[in-house]
Amino acid sequence: MSMDWRPSADIETLRERARLIGEVRAFFAERGVMEVETPVLGRAGSTDVHLASLHCTATTPAGRQPLWLQTSPEFHMKRLLAAGSGPIFQLARSFRDGEVGSRHNLEFTMLEWYRPGLDLDGLMAETEALIRRLLPSDPGALRRHRYRELFREDLDLDPFHEPLEALRRLATERGGLDMAEACRDDCLDLLMSLVIEPRLGRDGLDVVLDYPASQAALARRHRDPEDGEWVASRFEVYVNGLELANGYDELTDAEEQGTRFAEDNAARRAAGLPEVDVDRHLLAALEAGMPEASGVALGLDRLIQLALGKASVAEVMAFATPRA
C-alpha cells in the first residue's frame, strides 16, 4: 500500500512548527503590528522575470477571468498601507512555479511585514530580533556586506563594471552551463548562488546591502557613495548559507512603478516568457498615496527548517507538493 497519504513532516515537528508560529504572532503583537489576510488569488501576478506565476481561469462576478496565485502578498498589503492600515504583517500562502528542492516548494508560507516610517536600519534590526527569537541558539553577530565588496573578495571583480563577456566566461566556467548569451544579472545571480552565498551566515547573521539597481524590484534606488553608481535600497539576510529574508525601502512612486512593470514584461518577451497582467490596483494605490515604509519578506518554512535542524522544507510542512 502506498504511504504517500502520510504527512511530509512528523506530528511532533508540526507541533513545534505551531509553537514557532505562535512566537511570530507574539513578536508582532508586542510591537503593535496588526495581522492581516489578503487574497491568494488576484487579478494580477508578479512581472518579475525571475519569478514564474501560476494562474487559472475562474468564474467571477465579472464573468470568466484569469486569476493569478500570488507569489507574495506584497501588492495587496501595499494597498492596505495606502488605505491607512498602519504597520501590518501576514503569514501568507504563496506560490511560485518551478521552485522545487530542499529549500523550495511550489506552495509555501511567506512571512511579510511593513513598517510605515521605519527606515532600512530599523527594519534590519527588527528582522534580526525575530530570527534570534525563533532560532534555538545564538547564531552569532550580525555582519553587513556590500554586494560589490563580496564579489571583489571572492571573485576579484567589480560586478558593476566587469565586462559582460568576462562575466559570461566566468559564469560558464563556475556554473558548468552555457552562459554565452546570458545577461549581466543572470551571470551575477549564478555566481552569487554558487560561489558567495554558500559561505554567508556561517558563525553569524550576514546581511548583504546595495545590490545592483537592476535588481531593485519594488525597492527604491540610491547612489553608491563610492562612485555614484545607482544601487538598490534593499538587503538580504543569510544564515548557514541560506537566504532567509529580503527587505526593501519601498518604492511609493506610481509612475516609476508602472515603468518597472513595463520593463519587466519587455524583458519577459525578450526571454520568450509569457507576459503577466500588471496590478493596476497597486498603481492606483500608490498614486493615491502610500506612506513611506520599509518592508520585508521572510521564508518562514526555511526559518523553521533551520530552527528545528531539518534537512529540507518538506520536513516542516504538513504536506509538501509531491504529497499534496
Side-chain angles (χ1 to χ4, degrees), residues 186-226:
D186 285 347
C187 293
L188 294 177
D189 285 347
L190 182 67
L191 293 169
M192 181 75 174
S193 63
L194 292 180
V195 179
I196 298 172
E197 285 185 357
R199 76 169 179 85
L200 296 177
R202 308 292 179 179
D203 302 316
L205 292 173
D206 281 327
V207 177
V208 182
L209 303 157
D210 296 343
Y211 283 76
S214 56
Q215 298 179 27
L218 277 74
R220 294 179 188 269
R221 295 166 179 162
H222 67 272
R223 295 285 189 181
D224 189 324
E226 178 178 326

Side-chain angles (χ1 to χ4, degrees), residues 110-123:
M110 183 80 84
L111 168 61
E112 198 151 325
W113 74 96
Y114 292 87
R115 290 294 228 144
L118 190 67
D119 63 16
L120 270 189
D121 284 337
L123 184 66

Side-chain angles (χ1 to χ4, degrees), residues 63-76:
R64 297 289 288 176
Q65 284 189 320
L67 294 175
W68 299 84
L69 287 162
Q70 300 300 286
T71 58
S72 96
E74 181 170 6
F75 294 173
H76 288 102

